[in-house]
Amino acid sequence: MATSNAELEIVKQLFSTLSNDDKKSFLKSLKSKEKQEQNFTFTKEIKECPYCKSTHFKKNGTRNNGKQSFLCLDCNKSFVTSSNTILYGVKKDISVWKKYIHCIIEKYSLRKTAEICGISLPTAFTWRHKILDALQEMQESVKLDGIVEADETFMPISYKGHHKDFNFPRLAKHRSTANTKRGLSKELVCIPCIVNLNGKSVAKIANLGKPNVKALNSVINGKVERESIFVTDSLRSYLKLSNEMSLNHIRIPRNKYSNGSFNIQVVNNYHSRLKSMLVYNFKGVSTKYLNNYLVYHNFVNFAKESRKDKEQMLFNHILNTNCVSRNISVANRPAVPLLVA
């Protein structure tokens, strides 16, 4: 807050040094920019029905809000350009969504984001996960090549948040309290991660406790191009996986940090930045939302594009991606999602 006040004072001092004509032109430019943002509308080329994917449709008048309506000639359902997207049925202007995406890229807290965008705290939380759910589809198309490093990290199971009619499977405890069992027990969530040197990464919850071939395969298989250099530690499960995927496997021997010029320092740095974000930026996250924060980390922290490019990429992605979640489904997710036994 002190920094913001100091910056405001600097702006006031600079503004006071301008001539009257310069002051008028400056204020006029601000008003025109604000008006341009308010007049920004959602446009999308309609190629198919969002419900049945049929290409046989026609214009069907306009809705009460002035939006063009279409009618599918096969399923007989009407739709608009925003149907089946995140923006459908949302009363807030699209300029608010642009502000929200800026807040996501800047890693602002939910309270600060809600204040900037003029929305409630529950709405800010729901929007975050609706956007991250859409971002999951972007990760599905990611494939890594070149030198690919792989390793797994572990996070304790967290039931953070309010759970209506939820029975805890264990006693409640404070964050950062040690687990009741030592080592790689079922109290830890295993997260296999693969990264390359170009800023691409994939990470996802695989299972509880120590990873096996099936758990690693569920995350890594199909995500690495054939003949890539696959650098891992000495875990034996990677041997079978690399043979099945036709990869040039390089193992780091036990109690060693490198094998020739190859190491896994990039993926270790990825783990360090991930845990720093989860602990210090978000004060811990619930396990049922962990996959979303993994893809958040991949896109915001690890990808090498500029922040401005990331904002534009994310904005375009949510406009052209089907919404896979509704408000009520965000909170009603299983406490420990899709874990391999």
Side-chain angles (χ1 to χ4, degrees), residues 3 40 49 141 305:
T3 304
F40 184 82
C49 171
S141 61
E305 289 81 6

Side-chain angles (χ1 to χ4, degrees), residues 28-44:
K28 186 177 180 180
S29 64
L30 290 179
K31 290 181 180 179
S32 63
K33 183 179 179 181
E34 182 179 356
K35 185 176 180 181
Q36 184 179 4
E37 288 182 355
Q38 290 176 349
N39 293 334
F40 184 82
T41 55
F42 174 55
T43 56
K44 177 183 176 182

Side-chain angles (χ1 to χ4, degrees), residues 147-181:
I147 300 176
V148 179
E149 299 179 14
D151 197 11
E152 62 283 346
T153 189
F154 299 87
M155 298 289 294
I157 295 176
S158 172
Y159 301 103
K160 178 184 177 182
H162 174 69
H163 300 273
K164 185 178 180 181
D165 299 327
F166 180 75
N167 295 321
F168 276 85
R170 58 164 170 78
L171 294 176
K173 62 179 183 180
H174 290 288
R175 186 170 63 245
S176 302
T177 303
N179 293 324
T180 57
K181 297 180 181 179

Side-chain angles (χ1 to χ4, degrees), residues 207-248:
N207 69 313
L208 295 177
K210 188 175 181 180
N212 51 40
V213 175
K214 183 178 179 181
L216 296 176
N217 187 70
S218 66
V219 178
I220 299 175
N221 192 21
K223 295 297 183 181
V224 184
E225 297 284 359
R226 295 170 63 91
E227 305 301 328
S228 297
I229 300 176
F230 192 53
V231 187
T232 71
D233 57 16
S234 58
L235 185 68
R236 295 182 62 183
S237 299
Y238 287 119
L239 280 173
K240 184 177 180 180
L241 194 62
S242 61
N243 290 332
E244 292 176 351
M245 298 173 61
S246 301
L247 304 175
N248 299 314

Side-chain angles (χ1 to χ4, degrees), residues 108-119:
Y108 291 159
S109 67
L110 284 176
R111 294 186 185 277
K112 184 176 181 179
T113 300
E115 182 179 352
I116 292 174
C117 299
I119 57 180

Side-chain angles (χ1 to χ4, degrees), residues 97-113:
W97 284 89
K98 294 195 74 173
K99 290 181 182 179
Y100 190 90
I101 288 175
H102 174 75
C103 293
I104 281 185
I105 300 301
E106 295 295 331
K107 293 184 285 188
Y108 291 159
S109 67
L110 284 176
R111 294 186 185 277
K112 184 176 181 179
T113 300

Side-chain angles (χ1 to χ4, degrees), residues 4 16 27 34 53 92-94 104-105 134 137 140 157 186 238 245 248 267 278 285 298 320:
S4 300
S16 63
L27 294 175
E34 182 179 356
K53 307 302 180 184
K92 292 293 184 180
D93 188 76
I94 197 170
I104 281 185
I105 300 301
E137 294 194 14
E140 292 300 321
I157 295 176
K186 297 292 184 180
Y238 287 119
M245 298 173 61
N248 299 314
V267 72
L278 297 179
V285 300
N298 294 343
N320 296 282

